[in-house]
Amino acid sequence: IMERVFTQTFGVVGAIIEKDGKILLVKEAGTLDKGKWNRPAGWIDVGENPIDMVKREVKEKTGLDFEPIGLIGIYSSFRMDLKEKHGITPHPIVLLFRGVITGGKLIDHNEEIDEVRWFTPEEIMQMDKNILRDEHIKISVQDYFAGRNFPLDIIRHTVQE
């Protein structure tokens, strides 16, 4: 398994999945934020195209087949809240995608996720840091419903051999 280093920023991909005005969130199972709600998301693996990565992460975290259609935004989240309890201050840079579900079957849980549930934007806005993994999740939900959408070709992935 890859070592996680928290002395530098790191890349994360995530997705806002919406259905009938509700947003799909997953409850973290085995992370520093166990028991907190998050969007389907994960660290970008070294060498992996972020667009391919978000498809894989959504599948792993929800069971659904996700096809990204745009980038909602890039979110920089400095997690000072973990310093006292865990001695770390993670700083993920999150590429957050919008897209469509093309198949799959929604899971109940797995080794990474304790629960999967749909929430209204109002319910998400009422969550505090004790139940929501990151404050920028609220901002990203607002951005999603405001229609923020950047073309996928804003991401240029290259592999130099």
Side-chain angles (χ1 to χ4, degrees):
I1 188 162
M2 193 180 308
E3 182 185 355
R4 300 304 192 191
V5 178
F6 294 112
T7 55
Q8 301 174 13
T9 59
F10 55 94
V12 169
V13 293
I16 295 271
I17 299 171
E18 180 254 336
K19 179 181 173 185
D20 300 326
K22 292 187 174 184
I23 299 296
L24 189 66
L25 296 182
V26 297
K27 187 183 275 187
E28 299 286 348
T31 68
L32 297 168
D33 291 300
K34 179 174 174 57
K36 293 185 181 183
W37 291 100
N38 191 15
R39 297 159 309 216
W43 288 51
I44 299 171
D45 289 341
V46 173
E48 190 160 14
N49 183 322
I51 295 170
D52 295 335
M53 184 79 196
V54 75
K55 294 177 188 181
R56 188 168 62 76
E57 280 298 327
V58 169
K59 184 70 171 179
E60 288 176 5
K61 301 281 169 52
T62 70
L64 299 174
D65 299 320
F66 178 76
E67 186 60 39
I69 60 173
L71 192 69
I72 299 167
I74 299 170
Y75 301 84
S76 174
S77 176
F78 188 37
R79 296 286 310 273
M80 291 293 295
D81 60 312
L82 296 175
K83 185 170 188 173
E84 187 175 323
K85 185 174 182 182
H86 298 287
I88 57 173
T89 53
H91 185 171
I93 306 296
V94 182
L95 282 66
L96 189 66
F97 294 85
R98 65 169 61 237
V100 294
I101 298 303
T102 59
K105 185 172 189 282
L106 194 62
I107 62 169
D108 294 319
H109 65 279
N110 62 25
E111 62 280 349
E112 293 182 74
I113 300 302
D114 280 338
E115 190 178 347
V116 180
R117 192 190 313 166
W118 296 95
F119 291 91
T120 66
E122 295 76 21
E123 289 171 323
I124 295 170
M125 295 307 152
Q126 291 172 3
M127 293 179 177
D128 65 19
K129 68 180 183 179
N130 295 312
I131 56 171
L132 192 65
R133 181 169 183 164
D134 200 304
E135 190 67 24
H136 83 266
I137 294 171
K138 294 179 183 182
I139 298 167
S140 67
V141 168
Q142 291 171 328
D143 289 347
Y144 173 86
F145 284 107
R148 285 176 59 103
N149 186 28
F150 299 93
L152 289 179
D153 67 6
I154 199 171
I155 299 170
R156 301 292 204 202
H157 179 74
T158 61
V159 178
Q160 184 167 321
E161 296 185 23

